Amino acid sequence: MTFELRNGPNILALGRTAAQACEALWPLLLQAADWRRHGRGPAPRLTAVHDPRLGMHHHDGQWQLHGAWPMAAHELAGPLLPLVADVPADASRVVGQLGQSLDGQVATEGGDSGALNGPEALTHLHRLRALCDAVLVGTGTAVADNPRLTTRRVNGPHPTRVVLDVHLRVPPESGLFTDGIAPTLLACDERDRARAAERVGGHQVLAVPGLVDDRGQVVWPALLARLRERGLATVLVEGGGVTVSRCLAQGVLDRLHLMVAPVLIGQGRPGVQLPPVQRMSQCLRPRARAYRLGDDVLWDLDLRGADPS
Ligand SMILES: NC(=O)c1ccc[n+]([C@@H]2O[C@H](COP(=O)([O-])OP(=O)(O)OC[C@H]3O[C@@H](n4cnc5c(N)ncnc54)[C@H](OP(=O)(O)O)[C@@H]3O)[C@@H](O)[C@H]2O)c1
């Protein structure tokens, strides 16, 4: 107890400084994302209101922190800065995310993933949504979770919500199509346009020519190109395990944020699943950095150019 009392004020002071710095940094990240969306001409130099010596500048297509930011700010910015990078007009940036248990499950067998990750990880997820133009989920997630996919834990815009529903299985009365909180698009193949429009209204349908190939697989470049036409260049693929795994297997993801919670689920809904290989040398070994998010650990995987080790 004595120890705690003696050290309490220092710990509090440190905590406040770090929290204040993160509070100052978040609007700069939002501004950088906004400049990427709408900006023409040179990137502005972004500075913190309470201390103009602290800021962000744009260099070589990336934003970098300048000034003496505390470690907590670097930890916040590290996994988020790549999302506000320049995106060429003919390209997309795609980041996947999965919150998973230590044993690699994203939900229980019954489909419950509600309390898997802690509050800091959830806040990180909402920051990802706020920095991306679109957040996409697969049919399984839309059906099991009836998610809102908003940014209610942070300041920042809601992304456009995209439900990849090639067999039109998501109930039209789902909140995503009816709550009006943010725009929602049901992504389906062009040949299903009329049926999809009947279900959710034509304005909520993103019909993509050639979305599904002969083997029933989603052709991601076709989907991403249609999203770019709508001004949606940065896409967060939020789950579930099947959708993120297929993106990963097809080389669609630029980055993957795996938020690992200290919980063991046992048999459940698996996270990343890739085709089997025989040797460790054939496994994907991307550049990776780990960040602490409360009790959870965020693994930020850079998949650009990632090859088997
Ligand atoms: N912890 C987390 O971060 C997290 C995040 C999201 C969801 N979840 C949990 O994950 C569970 C749902 O995940 P899930 O993996 O079962 O479902 P999912 O990934 O949401 O959806 C899978 C379905 O999407 C369609 N699909 C996706 N990619 C496709 C492709 N490349 N080609 C063809 N079809 C494709 C298929 O639908 P069809 O069957 O119609 O062909 C497939 O069955 C829920 O329990 C949810 O709570 C957890």
Side-chain angles (χ1 to χ4, degrees), residues 187-277:
C188 64
D189 196 277
E190 174 65 39
R191 62 187 170 223
D192 297 318
R193 177 195 286 273
R195 280 200 305 134
E198 249 172 55
R199 289 168 70 83
V200 300
H203 64 292
Q204 297 203 99
V205 175
L206 184 77
V208 184
L211 178 65
V212 182
D213 69 14
D214 298 343
R215 293 172 302 140
Q217 288 299 309
V218 168
V219 180
W220 281 87
L223 174 58
L224 295 174
R226 281 289 277 134
L227 290 172
R228 274 200 313 279
E229 282 168 25
R230 298 266 190 140
L232 307 173
T234 53
V235 182
L236 171 64
V237 179
E238 187 167 317
V242 170
T243 302
V244 170
S245 298
R246 288 181 183 170
C247 280
L248 183 59
Q250 292 179 33
V252 170
L253 299 179
D254 294 296
R255 305 189 90 86
L256 177 58
H257 283 196
L258 285 180
M259 295 188 279
V260 184
V263 60
L264 296 163
I265 290 181
Q267 195 162 329
R269 305 277 177 103
V272 170
Q273 286 187 295
L274 291 172
V277 293

Side-chain angles (χ1 to χ4, degrees), residues 2-308:
T2 316
F3 178 84
E4 275 181 30
L5 280 176
R6 242 187 321 125
N7 288 280
N10 286 341
I11 288 166
L12 278 181
L14 268 176
R16 252 204 321 270
T17 307
Q20 279 172 349
C22 292
E23 219 170 276
L25 178 58
W26 176 238
L28 303 190
L29 289 163
L30 286 174
Q31 284 178 55
D34 213 41
W35 177 80
R36 182 192 55 70
R37 282 182 194 117
H38 309 295
R40 293 284 174 271
R45 196 176 162 83
L46 305 176
T47 52
V49 174
H50 75 281
D51 185 348
R53 289 166 304 176
L54 297 178
M56 282 170 50
H57 65 278
H58 195 255
H59 178 69
D60 217 7
Q62 300 287 340
W63 289 89
Q64 295 172 2
L65 296 190
H66 63 247
W69 290 96
M71 186 50 79
H74 287 280
E75 289 271 304
L76 175 76
L80 296 177
L81 279 173
L83 272 77
V84 294
D86 265 349
V87 184
D90 60 349
S92 304
R93 285 275 183 282
V94 188
V95 57
Q97 87 80 40
L98 286 174
Q100 67 171 53
S101 62
L102 286 170
D103 52 349
Q105 309 296 319
V106 297
T108 64
E109 197 175 21
D112 178 22
S113 60
L116 205 166
N117 289 105
E120 293 85 353
L122 286 180
T123 298
H124 174 73
L125 174 58
H126 286 220
R127 289 194 201 281
L128 287 178
R129 291 176 183 166
L131 294 178
C132 287
D133 303 326
V135 55
L136 178 146
V137 291
T139 309
T141 300
V143 172
D145 295 357
N146 193 14
R148 278 180 280 175
L149 307 179
T150 62
T151 57
R152 57 197 175 278
R153 296 179 73 92
V154 298
N155 284 327
H158 301 310
T160 294
R161 306 172 295 184
V162 181
V163 185
L164 179 60
D165 188 19
V166 297
H167 294 120
L168 308 185
R169 289 199 291 118
V170 179
E173 58 275 13
S174 302
L176 288 171
F177 298 121
T178 56
D179 66 15
I181 297 174
T184 300
L185 295 170
L186 184 163
C188 64
D189 196 277
E190 174 65 39
R191 62 187 170 223
D192 297 318
R193 177 195 286 273
R195 280 200 305 134
E198 249 172 55
R199 289 168 70 83
V200 300
H203 64 292
Q204 297 203 99
V205 175
L206 184 77
V208 184
L211 178 65
V212 182
D213 69 14
D214 298 343
R215 293 172 302 140
Q217 288 299 309
V218 168
V219 180
W220 281 87
L223 174 58
L224 295 174
R226 281 289 277 134
L227 290 172
R228 274 200 313 279
E229 282 168 25
R230 298 266 190 140
L232 307 173
T234 53
V235 182
L236 171 64
V237 179
E238 187 167 317
V242 170
T243 302
V244 170
S245 298
R246 288 181 183 170
C247 280
L248 183 59
Q250 292 179 33
V252 170
L253 299 179
D254 294 296
R255 305 189 90 86
L256 177 58
H257 283 196
L258 285 180
M259 295 188 279
V260 184
V263 60
L264 296 163
I265 290 181
Q267 195 162 329
R269 305 277 177 103
V272 170
Q273 286 187 295
L274 291 172
V277 293
Q278 296 305 314
R279 310 188 64 82
M280 280 307 299
S281 59
Q282 298 169 284
C283 298
L284 209 54
R285 198 183 285 273
R287 283 186 298 274
R289 271 197 71 177
Y291 300 89
R292 191 98 215 178
L293 289 175
D295 287 341
D296 299 349
V297 174
L298 162 65
W299 281 98
D300 174 20
L301 309 183
D302 182 356
L303 295 158
R304 287 164 306 173
D307 289 319

